[in-house]
Amino acid sequence: MKKMIFILYLIISFSADARTLKEIINSGVIQVAVLNPEKDEFDSTKSLEKNKLLNQFFENYTLKKFNKKITIQFTYVNKFSEFWSNQNGKIIKEKDYTPQLFKKVDAYFEFMSMSDWRTNKAQAIPMFKSNLSLICNFEQKNSDLHNIEQVMEVMLDKSVNFVAIKNTKLDNSLERLKIPKNRILYVNSRFGLVKGMLQNSKRECTLAETMLVLNMFTKGKVYFVGNVTPYRNRVLAWWVEKNNAELNNFIKESIPSLKKSEEWNKMFRDLFGVNYNLYNFIVNSYIE
C-alpha cells in the first residue's frame, strides 16, 4: 500500500502543471534552477555572488509589488544538459517536449546561448549579453576579435598552455582538439581559470566569460584573442515554460525595475569592476 501511494505521488509530482504566479506568491518562494557554482568553469565565488544579488533584488521588488517578500530558492544542476534533458538524461529538442527539470522548478536563471531549439522550448527573458572569448596572458599582434582562424592558430600553438577545470566543456574541447595533457594546467573552480592563468610567466590561455574578466582587461592583465563563434549569442536570462504566460509577464515586468535599481549597477561594479553602461559598450563591441 505504501509503495502504491509513493508511486501515485511520483506520478502527480511529475505530471503537475507549472505553478501559477498566485501559487508562487502564496508560498513566498520561487524555485529557480542554476548551474552548480562548484561546476562553474569561470569563478564559483562570482557565481554565488550573482545569485545572492539577484535574490536581494527579487525580495525587495516583490515586497514593493505584492507587499510580500518572495525568496528565490536555488536548485543546482551539475551540467548544462540537465536544463533540457528528460528523466533518462537525453536532450529532446522537439518543442512539444517539456524538459524534466521544469517539473521541479518554476524557472531557470543562467548564461546560455539563444539556440533556436531552446527558444522553441522555453521563453527566454534576457537581462544582458555575454560571450565566450579566448583570452591569454600575452598580447596577440594584429588581433582580430572576430577571426575564428586566429583563435584556432593560438589554440594549436605548441608554445601555448591552457588553464582548465577537469570534466568541463572546456576540458572536453581541449581533448577533442588533441591538446596534450602536458599543455593543460588544471585548477579548482573556486580558484578560477583566469587567476590560474595569471600565476605563471608561461604563455597561457583559457576560455572565459567576457563579463567575468572585464575588470582584468581594464587593468591590462589579460588580452582578448577572439570570440569563440558557437558561443557569441549568449545571454544571462530567465528561462520560463512557454505556457506559463503569467510568470513570463511578471518576470518581464521586473527587468526594467531592476535596471533602474541601485542593485543593478552594484551588481556590475561588485562582480565585474565596471558599471553597466561601460559593460554594455564593451561587450557589444566584441560581440557584433
Side-chain angles (χ1 to χ4, degrees):
M1 184 64 181
K2 287 183 179 179
K3 185 181 286 187
M4 181 63 70
I5 292 172
F6 178 69
I7 292 171
L8 286 172
Y9 169 77
L10 287 178
I11 292 171
I12 292 169
S13 298
F14 290 121
S15 61
D17 292 332
R19 290 201 302 165
T20 65
L21 180 58
K22 184 177 180 180
E23 288 171 330
I24 292 170
I25 294 169
N26 288 340
S27 72
V29 171
I30 181 169
Q31 302 283 350
V32 177
V34 295
L35 185 66
N36 186 341
E38 293 293 338
K39 301 294 181 180
D40 194 302
E41 297 187 4
F42 311 110
D43 190 326
S44 60
T45 302
K46 287 189 175 182
S47 182
L48 287 166
E49 187 65 18
K50 174 198 72 178
N51 296 342
K52 177 183 174 182
L53 287 169
L54 174 69
N55 185 54
Q56 284 178 358
F57 164 77
F58 205 80
E59 288 184 341
N60 291 338
Y61 176 74
T62 52
L63 186 60
K64 291 175 185 175
K65 187 173 180 66
F66 303 121
N67 199 28
K68 180 174 182 177
K69 183 170 66 177
I70 299 176
T71 297
I72 298 176
Q73 188 171 90
F74 293 105
T75 294
Y76 290 160
V77 301
N78 290 321
K79 50 188 177 181
F80 284 104
S81 61
E82 291 182 32
F83 287 105
W84 307 105
S85 58
N86 64 10
Q87 58 188 4
N88 297 319
K90 181 180 178 182
I91 295 177
I92 299 175
K93 294 187 177 182
E94 288 75 10
K95 66 179 181 180
D96 56 349
Y97 176 80
T98 300
Q100 184 75 8
L101 191 57
F102 268 134
K103 298 178 182 182
K104 302 177 183 177
V105 300
D106 303 303
Y108 305 162
F109 184 78
E110 198 49 78
F111 276 105
M112 285 188 264
S113 61
M114 299 277 282
S115 307
D116 288 343
W117 66 268
R118 285 185 179 134
T119 55
N120 280 335
K121 296 177 78 62
Q123 179 68 50
I125 307 167
M127 290 180 64
F128 51 83
K129 291 181 181 180
S130 189
N131 64 335
L132 282 184
S133 296
L134 179 66
I135 64 165
C136 301
N137 60 3
F138 58 88
E139 192 167 10
Q140 181 77 0
K141 292 181 179 179
N142 304 316
S143 181
D144 178 357
L145 297 172
H146 306 294
N147 188 340
I148 191 63
E149 291 178 0
Q150 181 173 279
V151 170
M152 295 309 301
E153 180 184 334
V154 173
M155 292 192 79
L156 297 175
D157 185 339
K158 293 181 180 179
S159 71
V160 174
N161 295 325
F162 290 88
V163 179
I165 296 167
K166 281 191 176 181
N167 303 318
T168 61
K169 187 176 289 187
L170 172 56
D171 188 22
N172 295 337
S173 298
L174 295 176
E175 185 178 342
R176 285 196 298 271
L177 288 168
K178 296 183 170 30
I179 305 295
K181 293 294 183 184
N182 62 2
R183 286 178 54 201
I184 303 174
L185 169 66
Y186 288 108
V187 297
N188 186 283
S189 63
R190 286 196 172 275
F191 189 64
L193 293 173
V194 177
K195 290 178 185 175
M197 186 179 67
L198 295 174
Q199 295 306 300
N200 299 305
S201 57
K202 297 178 181 178
R203 285 161 55 89
E204 291 183 336
C205 298
T206 193
L207 291 175
E209 191 79 50
T210 306
M211 55 167 280
L212 294 179
V213 292
L214 277 180
N215 58 343
M216 293 187 177
F217 291 133
T218 58
K219 294 173 184 175
K221 291 186 176 181
V222 295
Y223 303 91
F224 274 119
V225 174
N227 289 321
V228 181
T229 307
Y231 301 102
R232 283 186 189 175
N233 193 22
R234 287 167 65 85
V235 294
L236 179 64
W238 289 90
W239 298 80
V240 182
E241 277 193 90
K242 288 246 179 179
N243 61 1
N244 199 339
E246 198 176 27
L247 183 57
N248 267 301
N249 291 335
F250 164 65
I251 292 178
K252 282 179 184 176
E253 289 170 4
S254 74
I255 304 301
S257 296
L258 172 59
K259 291 185 176 182
K260 292 177 183 177
S261 71
E262 292 181 6
E263 288 95 343
W264 184 247
N265 258 323
K266 185 178 188 304
M267 183 186 298
F268 283 88
R269 287 194 302 268
D270 290 359
L271 297 186
F272 320 132
V274 296
N275 64 32
Y276 172 68
N277 287 338
L278 179 57
Y279 169 88
N280 200 41
F281 172 79
I282 293 172
V283 170
N284 279 292
S285 296
Y286 289 122
I287 291 176
E288 303 302 334

